[in-house]
Structure formats: structure tokens, C-alpha cells
Amino acid sequence: MVNEISYPLISLKWGGAAGDGLQSTGLLMQKYFNSLGYSVFGIPGTQSTIRGGHVWQHLQVAITRIDHFDEELDVLFALNKQTLDVHFNNVKNNGIIITNSDIVNTDEFNIKIVEKEIHLVSLPLTTNARNIESRSLILANTIAMGVFLKLFNLPIEQYHEILKKRFAKNSKILEYNLTALQIGFNYNTEQDVSRRLGPSNGKLDNIVINGNQMIALGAAASGLKFLAQYPITPASSILTYLAMNAAKFGIIVRQAEDELAAINMIIGASFGGARAMTASSGPGISLMAEAFGYASMTETPIVVVNSMRAGPSTGIPTKMEQADLLSMISLSHGESPRAIFAPRNIEECFELTVKAFNVADKYQIPVIILSDFALSEQTKNIPEVDLNIKINRGKIWQKPSSEFPKFKRFQFTEDGISPRAFPPTPEANYILVGAEHDEESHSLSGNRCGLPNSWTIREKMIEKRFKKVKKLEEELDGPEFYGSNDADYTIICWGSTQGAVNEAVDRLNKSTKYSWNSLSFSNLFPIPIQLTKEKLQQIKYSIMFEINYTNQFEQLLYLYVDWKVNNRIKHLNGETSTPNLIIKKIFQLEEFKNE
Amino acid sequence: MNKDELEKIKFKGDVKPNWCPGCGDYGLLSATTSVLSDLGYQPNETVIISGIGCSSSFPHWTSAYGIHMIHGRALPAAYGLHMVNPSLKIIVAGGDGDGYGIGVGHFIHTARRNINIVYMVMNNQIYGLTLGQSSPSSQQGHITLTTPSGVDERPINPISLALGAGATFVARGFSGDTKHLRYLIERALNHKGFSFIDVLSPCVTFNKLNTFQWFKQRVYKLEDINFDKSNLSDAFSRSLEWGEKIPTGIFYETTIPTLDETDPVARNKIVVKEKLGLDNIDRNSIFDYFR
């Protein structure tokens, strides 16, 4: 061997039909690299297809921390022909394609393969898999993995450990996989270059986790006691992770008959004193609208996770969008206070879920955690999170006190926050009601409706409910700059696009003569007005990047902070945004045409 | 009042009902509050949950805890509350629009889950609070605001529906016979599992067809005939009877495990009494899954 190539980062894609076992192989690979101390970042490309179709798993492995992925590929695993058709053009010059010669004919790509100096490893994966076990075609993945390990001079023993853990309960399947891995590893790939991943210096005991699992873990650490949820992409893995751990965590986890039931169930559980949560995506969230308003009106703390997918209606269930923001701000009829948090990365999925529960209890409001497909289904390795977190349950009334000698559920107070009591607390019996009510929660919709005394109470109650969120603003976090504060250009974003935007900022700072930074928001609503203004004032030229057509966050800034962006870019095809895409969109703007 | 008298009315609320004079719902309200007292329940340990409609004001006229939910969603709220604290006695009360119309899906699912609560539907076969439209249980031919040429849909059969959905206690009462109602409520409260009572509760203002008199001429009690309430087939056949004769009483009763006895968490603990968070759990047992 003559040459040696050292990679600081490998971008790879694993493509095939649904049911080929791509996602589970992708996860095993991430756990493998994690155990070697590398940084991993994965995102699935899924369809609403259980078997067949075209799905992929994108994975980046790096020697330093990463929070984004790139379209350009170092390695493409093509388990079927469609993978080549769709992704061939993304393979870099000198890249690698590992493919299944039993079913993939590469003839039409031969010229380009030569032109791009792509190293093609074409081997009969199906035949080899069949030779090990006639029914387990999924073994093709493991064979390909063996080839990959060999190509990059990676240690095979560590992958044995990963397989042993994965198939600990089934020794036969483990044996098949170990055999398959060795077959791939022994395959003569005829490469003339020695490829290596640069040395890792990360921790060896990080965890590989996705956004939904982090939200679930954050909820459990916060003292979640009741989860009711109806399955929906991309929120289902919150339900399945917590169902799997229900007994261990002491959380009652129930699958509801629909989302209407789910949110009303958690309202009942919260009335009883339990921290309660539901999770869904657009279609299910729309169904929850009425009950969401009830929770706000009755000042019942609940946490609702909306993992956004592309809408409206069924939309594109397995793709991301940030188009629910305005509907979350106005979810339900009338005017009902709430808080909305949009995690910007996997770490914040935990932190903001903890915050969501404390804010819900303290201010007695419904709180929305606004994730999206790209964040919920994204996997990354991070250090173990600290599960010992601060829990604030707010004003709980247990017996007469000097401040609250007699229990009145909606007592008018300085900050608008009244005491809560749970059955069977004696002397606190009251009826929770969605009709406008007085301090003792007596309905004003019946015989007292329209009487002058009710007018006064109505106005005071509206004031009281909104006073709470005014107070909440004091403990909200403002947006954060990435890069120097006085940059020439600022890209503004919110939620899960932060990683790609920040990487774009780094690249722009290197490749252009201007300085760039980003300003990202996670505490979306109510907008922390003062903190937001302070940051916005420092911006010289702003470019808003959000994944919706109607400039929803831009509208918010204009409405609440009286501030206008200079320019905007957007990306609406449903795929997770990449740094180069963001850069490309920026240079398509009129202002940058000549750059 | 002496102590005994006070004890008798301890479930009576301070707020006076705003139901029409003569409304059938009064019968169920007084029967319920008196039976709760008789059986020794305490208002602070009892939660009455309703949806929307005339009858759904029910909790406000009692001294218990209560939730006056949105339309049709009383049962899911009851389910959530019950699962986190099964030591509370929960009664869900509502009307036919609430339970057989907008909320009928929850009725079926709550029945099949066999959660240990009582569900009473004040069935007046009309929408009263919106001033007289047809309901899912309106009789065919009934002329209402929305059916000027008479109801042309067949009415729902709540008894068959409850039986089919797997309710473990299925009964029908008549608010014109509060003594019998008290008997049914007592049996429902003592039943372990989902107890359903369809209560014929005439609307004196908007339903001039199915009146107290109309029912009085037709109802009879299953307890008065030789009827085996442990036989599901017999219960189904009897549930189809409606017209010249209308059966009331307990159609079916059986005992199977309730959801709080089978749920992997609820069967061991009352979660609202548990410590919050994951401090007591071995970190490795949580994080190893992710490696």
C-alpha cells in the first residue's frame, strides 16, 4: 500500500428497503463508534413504509463533537439499486461504495465511478447471508459492516462486544452475526489506499440517545407519574421508551384510544396531583386543542410534547417542518396562557423538559415542548445526564396557613398564582370547571351569568391568568449568540436547526471575507422581550432561517418585539437541513449574488 | 341539626341546582348523595366528574371534589385520575349527548378497560341545554328542532353497547323510582370494576314524548322477575327489549380484574404518594441501554 488517508470525519449512508434492518444496524454502528470514543450523529431517512420502499440511515462519525450532518458522503452502503439512484451523486471523489452484487447492477454508474475515483466494493451479500442462515437476509448488513471495518482498519473485537450485548438473549442469532461480520472482514476489498479514522479522544462511556428518549428521560427525572399517548410518527418513541421502563421508573404509561382521550386523561391525573404528560405530532395535537384550552382555563399543569412533522393534514409524516409554531401559540379557542419551549439539540431535550414541568407546576399552565422529526429521531452520543434535578411543584395547599387560611382554588393573589390542592385533602373540596369561575371555582356560566358581579370577576380572572405568564417571563432564557457578537451577518434560528446553522457559521467565517454569527432561540413563548431586544439590537444584518413558508417566528418577533429581519431563507422539502444547504441558500439571496 | 342529620346530608352542596323544576336529574342527584352518605364515603375522598350538558352540572350540586370537563371527555379525565390514585371513589355523571354522542368512543374504551369507577348517564333522549335538538338516543319519529319531520335514525342502545364493550356491571334505572335508583347506585358503588347505569331521566321542558308518565306505564324491574344477571346472553336479549315494556334493574354483573390491579405500576403503588424523580434508581441500569 502506498497512500494513507486519515479522516477527521466519516459521513456515511446506509440505504435499502424498509425492513432490511438499516435502523438497527445504524444504531449498533453508533454504539460501536461511541465505545471507541468518537463523536456520532445519526438521522434516519424514513418513509411511511414498513417493508420495501427506500429508507436510509445517515451517520457521521468524527474525532470532535458534531451537531449536524452533510449531504456529501464518504461511504455509501447500497443494499439495493434505488440507493445508488438516489444517493450516488452525493458520494465524494475518492469515496467508497459497498454494494450487494446479488441485486445491484452498477453498470450504468461505471463511468462516473471511474471519473470520481470511487472505490467500489461489490460483493454477493444476499448469497453470503443465505449461506449463514437461509431466512436471515438482515445479516447482509453485518457482512457489509465487516467490509467497512476492514476498509478503515477499525478494530473488529469491539464490534463483537456490541453484537454480544445486542443479541445477549439469543445465542444463535449472535453466532450468525459474528460469522457474518467475519465474512465481510475477510473479504478481499482490493484497496490500494490505507484508510484510517483519526485518533479519538472522547469519553468511552458516553450514551447514544435520540431526542425523544431524552425528552422521556427528562420527564421521568422530573417526576412524571402518568403518561397517556396515542401512537404517531415522530412522537411514538416517547411512549415506547417509557412503556418499556414503566415499572422501573414508577410511571403509569397508558396507550389512549385517541389524542382527545390522551390529553383529557393527563388533565385528570394532574388534578389528582400527578405530574402528567402526553406527546403527539400535528394531527394529534390538533385534536387536543379544546382540552388544551381547558387546562389553561382551569390552571391545570400539563406537559404536551409536539414533535412536529410536515403538515398540514397528514402532510409528510416522516419529514420535519417548523410550521406549527403559530398554531401552538393559539392552540384552542379564546385566549389561554401557555409556555412553549423548543429544544435546539439533544441535550436541551432533557433540560427543557425539566424546565417544562417546573414551569407548568409553578405557573399552573399547560406547557408545550416543541420538537420535530429531525430532533426527535436524531441520535447523538453525549455524556450521561445528571438525573438529580431540582423539582418545583409550586403552591400546594395542604392545610390552612396564614397566607391561605381558607382554601380557594382560584384565590386572587399578587402574582396571579393561587394554591392548588389534591383530593383527598380535607377542607379543600372544589369542582374544577372550564366555565369562567369565581375564586372558589363556582361556575359563572349558569344563573350568575351576565350579572354585574360576574362581569367584575370575569375581568379579574382574565387578568389573573395572564399575570402569571408575565411573571414567568422573568425566568425565561433569552436567545444565544454563537460566534462573535459584532459579526457582519447574523443567522437567526430556533429549535432543532441550531446545529446545522452553527456549523454553517463556522464554514462561512472560514470561506468568506465577512464575519458571521448565529442567534438561536429555545424559550419561544412567551417571548422574553427584554432579553430578546438586547440581543437583537446588536445585530448588523439578519437572515432568518426557519422551516416554514409563512415566516412564523419572524412574525412573532415583529409582533412582540417590534423588530424586522433584513432577509430570510427557508428550506421546505422536509429533509433535515445541512450547513452547505444553508450556505447555498444564503448565496442565492440577491444581496450575495456577486459574492 | 344533630350529628346524624348532618351526616345524612354531608354530600349535599351549597349551590342550588339550576335544573328545571321537575327535571328527572333531581332524582339521581338525591339518590346519589344519600347513598354515598349511607355507605360511609367522605366528600373529600370522592370525586364526581362530568362533561357538558344540563346533567353535567351534577358535581356542582354536591360537596365532593369534582371535575366539570369539556363535552364528552369526562371518562378520560376519570381514567387519568383513577389510575394515579385508585383510593379515591370516582363517579362520572353525564347526559346522553355527552356520553352516547360526542363521547361514545370513550364510553366503549373505558368499559373494556374495566376501571373501577361508576358511570351514570342521565338519559333524557334530547339535547336540553341547547334547547331541544335530537340526541343519539332520541326515539324514531320524535319531532325536535333539528328533526322537523321526525327522527329518522335509529337510537343507540346503551345497554347492548355497554355489554358489548365489556362493562362488568350494567344497569338501567328510572329517576321516577328513586328507591330503586338508590339500590342500583349502592350496588354499582360496591361493584369492583366499571359500573354503568343508564338512568331514564325525563326532560320536562323539551321532551314531551318520553315523559315520566310514558315511562311509568312501561318500566318493570328485572329484580321482580326470574332473571339471571350473571348470564351475558340473557343480558343481551333483555337489552333489546324497548317499547311496550322497558326493563330496569341490573342486566349483568361479573367480576374480573380491574385495570388498577393489572397495570404494572398501579397494582403495586399509588403513584401520587410516591417520591418524584429517578434518584433511587441505579444510574447504570438506565444508561447501559444506550451504550
Side-chain angles (χ1 to χ4, degrees):
Chain A
M1 289 187 203
V2 192
N3 298 321
E4 183 173 309
I5 310 176
S6 180
Y7 291 74
L9 182 150
I10 300 175
S11 171
L12 61 93
K13 197 169 254 177
W14 202 288
D20 282 351
L22 308 177
Q23 272 208 27
S24 50
T25 308
L27 189 60
L28 292 181
M29 275 181 95
Q30 289 179 70
K31 288 184 172 179
Y32 168 74
F33 285 111
N34 178 57
S35 72
L36 295 174
Y38 291 103
S39 182
V40 293
F41 186 88
I43 187 97
T46 49
Q47 297 177 328
S48 292
T49 305
I50 308 305
R51 302 298 294 263
H54 174 61
V55 297
W56 64 90
Q57 174 73 34
H58 193 121
L59 185 62
Q60 299 213 154
V61 185
I63 56 175
T64 52
R65 188 195 141 110
I66 39 169
D67 267 306
H68 71 278
F69 79 91
D70 299 290
E71 288 121 287
E72 301 77 13
L73 299 171
D74 296 297
V75 185
L76 178 64
F77 295 84
L79 295 189
N80 62 9
K81 171 76 170 19
Q82 201 176 1
T83 303
L84 282 183
D85 294 339
V86 178
H87 304 291
F88 180 87
N89 287 340
N90 295 120
V91 181
K92 294 178 189 170
N93 290 350
N94 290 311
I96 295 169
I97 292 175
I98 301 171
T99 188
N100 185 353
S101 60
D102 286 324
I103 52 171
V104 183
N105 185 333
T106 56
D107 287 354
E108 65 182 274
F109 296 96
N110 280 349
I111 295 170
K112 280 187 187 165
I113 285 172
V114 173
E115 278 172 7
K116 292 175 86 172
E117 295 183 58
I118 286 170
H119 185 67
L120 176 72
V121 183
S122 185
L123 74 164
L125 292 172
T126 313
T127 310
N128 277 305
R130 281 233 163 86
N131 286 343
I132 303 167
E133 213 284 323
S134 59
R135 287 157 302 167
S136 267
L137 298 181
I138 289 174
L139 291 170
N141 289 291
T142 315
I143 299 170
M145 185 63 199
V147 173
F148 173 77
L149 293 180
K150 183 66 167 292
L151 281 171
F152 282 86
N153 292 295
L154 286 157
I156 189 170
E157 301 76 20
Q158 203 83 14
Y159 205 77
H160 288 164
E161 296 308 311
I162 299 291
L163 288 172
K164 279 178 195 160
K165 195 178 165 199
R166 169 67 183 82
F167 300 112
K169 285 182 186 148
N170 196 328
S171 59
K172 241 199 167 89
I173 297 201
L174 172 64
E175 199 185 304
Y176 295 152
N177 275 281
L178 291 174
T179 309
L181 191 71
Q182 200 61 46
I183 288 173
F185 199 74
N186 292 347
Y187 189 77
N188 181 4
T189 59
E190 297 170 11
Q191 68 171 344
D192 52 359
V193 187
S194 171
R195 293 178 165 84
R196 270 175 209 286
L197 189 56
S200 70
N201 49 15
K203 284 173 64 183
L204 303 178
D205 59 349
N206 280 349
I207 55 169
V208 179
I209 193 163
N210 73 26
N212 277 346
Q213 289 164 336
M214 276 294 260
I215 290 169
L217 209 50
S222 303
L224 177 73
K225 293 293 177 204
F226 185 78
L227 176 92
Q229 189 178 335
Y230 187 79
I232 188 169
T233 302
S236 299
S237 53
I238 293 175
L239 174 61
T240 48
Y241 176 71
L242 287 174
M244 190 174 72
N245 289 288
K248 185 156 93 185
F249 294 171
I251 300 168
I252 294 176
V253 177
R254 304 300 314 183
Q255 182 172 331
E257 60 268 35
D258 53 40
E259 290 87 350
L260 299 164
I263 188 168
N264 287 289
M265 285 171 179
I266 68 167
I267 287 170
S270 177
F271 175 82
R275 283 196 152 180
M277 179 171 94
T278 187
S280 191
S281 187
I285 297 289
S286 294
L287 285 180
M288 294 180 188
E290 186 191 10
F292 189 87
Y294 180 91
S296 190
M297 179 60 148
T298 59
E299 307 192 34
T300 304
I302 54 168
V303 174
V304 177
V305 182
N306 176 4
S307 180
M308 291 180 287
R309 58 195 231 181
S313 189
T314 307
I316 316 174
T318 58
K319 299 294 170 191
M320 79 85 80
E321 200 168 72
Q322 297 180 311
D324 292 357
L325 176 61
L326 289 183
S327 66
M328 290 306 95
I329 284 167
S330 58
L331 187 70
S332 207
H333 58 281
E335 296 171 310
S336 47
R338 78 279 313 268
I340 303 173
F341 297 111
R344 290 171 291 202
N345 48 53
I346 296 229
E347 290 86 341
E348 281 190 355
C349 285
F350 184 90
E351 292 155 22
L352 287 177
T353 301
V354 170
K355 187 165 183 172
F357 275 98
N358 284 338
V359 163
D361 266 352
K362 198 168 158 193
Y363 299 93
Q364 303 176 10
I365 51 171
V367 178
I368 294 170
I369 297 170
L370 202 51
S371 177
D372 59 47
F373 180 89
L375 181 60
S376 286
E377 297 282 322
Q378 172 191 113
T379 42
K380 196 170 90 170
N381 62 340
I382 54 162
E384 282 184 9
V385 284
D386 184 2
L387 298 172
N388 191 359
I389 49 100
K390 270 210 176 96
I391 291 172
N392 183 345
R393 296 234 55 193
K395 285 182 200 169
I396 310 276
W397 193 94
Q398 280 162 326
K399 55 180 189 293
S401 64
S402 54
E403 195 185 1
F404 301 110
K406 183 174 178 289
F407 177 75
K408 287 196 268 182
R409 174 62 187 93
F410 298 106
Q411 184 170 337
F412 294 121
T413 57
E414 192 75 19
D415 55 10
I417 304 167
S418 318
R420 289 176 83 203
F422 312 123
T425 308
E427 292 170 52
N429 311 17
Y430 75 101
I431 313 294
L432 195 70
V433 61
E436 189 57 278
H437 39 261
D438 63 16
E439 287 180 274
E440 290 170 306
S441 197
H442 291 139
S443 167
L444 300 182
S445 78
N447 289 357
R448 293 166 66 189
C449 184
L451 304 183
N453 176 256
S454 298
W455 302 346
T456 319
I457 299 173
R458 164 67 173 172
E459 288 179 341
K460 282 177 83 173
M461 276 296 166
I462 295 174
E463 197 62 43
K464 163 191 170 15
R465 289 190 288 269
F466 278 96
K467 217 190 263 178
K468 296 188 300 178
V469 278
K470 201 73 212 155
K471 166 120 178 120
L472 160 65
E473 267 183 55
E474 294 166 15
E475 62 175 276
L476 293 178
D477 294 320
E480 278 173 33
F481 276 122
Y482 174 78
S484 81
N485 288 17
D486 60 349
D488 301 323
Y489 293 100
T490 300
I491 308 173
I492 304 180
C493 65
W494 59 273
S496 75
T497 53
Q498 188 206 37
V501 167
N502 288 357
E503 178 67 20
V505 164
D506 286 347
R507 292 181 191 179
L508 286 162
N509 277 326
K510 277 185 203 139
S511 64
T512 69
K513 59 185 182 217
Y514 308 110
S515 59
W516 298 75
N517 66 10
S518 77
L519 185 69
S520 62
F521 290 75
S522 64
N523 290 207
L524 295 189
F525 196 81
I527 287 193
I529 292 174
Q530 210 40 48
L531 295 174
T532 303
K533 272 188 179 156
E534 284 167 20
K535 293 282 162 61
L536 292 176
Q537 278 162 3
Q538 302 177 45
I539 294 177
K540 291 179 185 159
Y541 186 95
S542 59
I543 301 166
M544 175 69 80
F545 178 54
E546 54 180 328
I547 317 292
N548 59 62
Y549 186 79
T550 52
N551 314 319
Q552 298 191 12
F553 190 63
E554 194 182 320
Q555 289 189 47
L556 268 198
L557 289 183
Y558 183 53
L559 193 63
Y560 286 89
V561 200
D562 193 21
W563 190 85
K564 279 186 179 175
V565 301
N566 297 99
N567 223 323
R568 64 186 70 84
I569 53 170
K570 50 191 65 200
H571 174 222
L572 298 171
N573 71 9
E575 296 303 329
T576 308
S577 308
T578 61
N580 284 355
L581 175 125
I582 293 167
I583 293 168
K584 198 172 124 197
K585 297 247 172 203
I586 288 173
F587 286 106
Q588 280 166 357
L589 293 170
E590 200 58 44
E591 283 76 356
F592 298 91
K593 272 278 164 68
N594 302 321
E595 298 297 331
Chain B
M1 263 186 280
N2 64 35
K3 209 178 151 198
D4 282 356
E5 283 166 334
L6 278 173
E7 186 64 22
K8 270 207 163 99
I9 58 155
K10 70 182 175 189
F11 272 90
K12 203 168 162 289
D14 295 333
V15 184
K16 206 170 147 277
N18 65 348
W19 288 328
C20 303
C23 172
D25 296 352
Y26 285 105
L28 185 70
L29 177 65
S30 70
T32 306
T33 52
S34 71
V35 172
L36 282 168
S37 299
D38 292 350
L39 294 184
Y41 287 103
Q42 298 304 324
N44 65 308
E45 293 165 357
T46 307
V47 185
I48 302 178
I49 304 179
S50 65
I52 295 288
C54 290
S55 57
S56 284
S57 291
F58 194 101
H60 293 283
W61 326 138
T62 76
S63 63
Y65 273 99
I67 310 179
H68 190 173
M69 279 304 292
I70 53 174
H71 201 16
R73 317 295 165 211
L75 286 170
Y79 173 96
L81 176 61
H82 169 72
M83 292 307 284
V84 300
N85 191 351
S87 70
L88 299 169
K89 193 70 196 176
I90 298 177
I91 297 173
V92 177
D96 43 306
D98 193 73
Y100 305 155
I102 190 169
V104 71
H106 307 309
F107 175 33
I108 294 165
H109 291 287
T110 313
R112 79 179 170 83
R113 288 175 181 131
N114 196 35
I115 66 170
N116 190 14
I117 63 168
V118 176
Y119 181 37
M120 311 187 298
V121 176
M122 287 156 270
N123 183 358
N124 61 9
Q125 302 167 268
I126 195 84
Y127 280 70
L129 198 58
T130 46
L131 313 179
Q133 299 82 358
S134 71
S135 103
S137 57
S138 289
Q139 192 174 314
Q140 272 185 298
H142 191 176
I143 291 172
T144 73
L145 280 184
T146 44
T147 54
S149 45
V151 169
D152 54 0
E153 298 172 1
R154 286 175 299 165
I156 207 159
N157 183 329
I159 303 292
S160 310
L161 192 63
L163 291 168
T168 52
F169 178 100
V170 179
R172 178 187 282 137
F174 170 44
S175 63
D177 185 348
T178 47
K179 192 175 159 221
H180 186 229
L181 257 188
R182 278 202 295 272
Y183 161 77
L184 294 177
I185 296 166
E186 183 176 330
R187 295 298 300 264
L189 284 166
N190 286 334
H191 173 74
K192 184 174 73 72
F194 184 70
S195 309
F196 167 66
I197 312 175
D198 177 54
V199 182
L200 304 170
S201 186
C203 174
V204 293
T205 306
F206 295 110
N207 191 339
K208 304 296 185 197
L209 188 64
N210 312 102
T211 60
F212 274 103
Q213 207 49 43
W214 190 90
F215 282 115
K216 269 187 184 147
Q217 287 161 2
R218 289 166 169 82
V219 295
Y220 72 95
K221 299 187 191 76
L222 292 171
E223 287 75 22
D224 292 344
I225 61 165
N226 183 16
F227 179 75
D228 177 9
K229 62 180 164 43
S230 69
N231 187 315
L232 186 58
S233 305
D234 288 355
F236 267 116
S237 340
R238 199 57 75 159
S239 76
L240 301 176
E241 194 180 359
W242 183 275
E244 288 312 300
K245 294 185 91 186
I246 297 174
T248 62
I250 302 169
F251 286 74
Y252 185 63
E253 184 169 11
T254 188
T255 308
I256 58 168
T258 55
L259 197 64
D260 59 310
E261 292 172 337
T262 58
D263 178 273
V265 176
R267 71 180 178 217
N268 296 320
K269 48 188 139 192
I270 294 176
V271 292
V272 288
K273 296 182 179 167
E274 296 290 314
K275 198 176 164 295
L276 269 62
L278 300 173
D279 296 1
N280 296 338
I281 300 170
D282 172 35
R283 292 174 63 87
N284 283 334
S285 77
I286 296 171
F287 291 120
D288 263 358
Y289 174 76
F290 299 108
R291 290 194 182 101

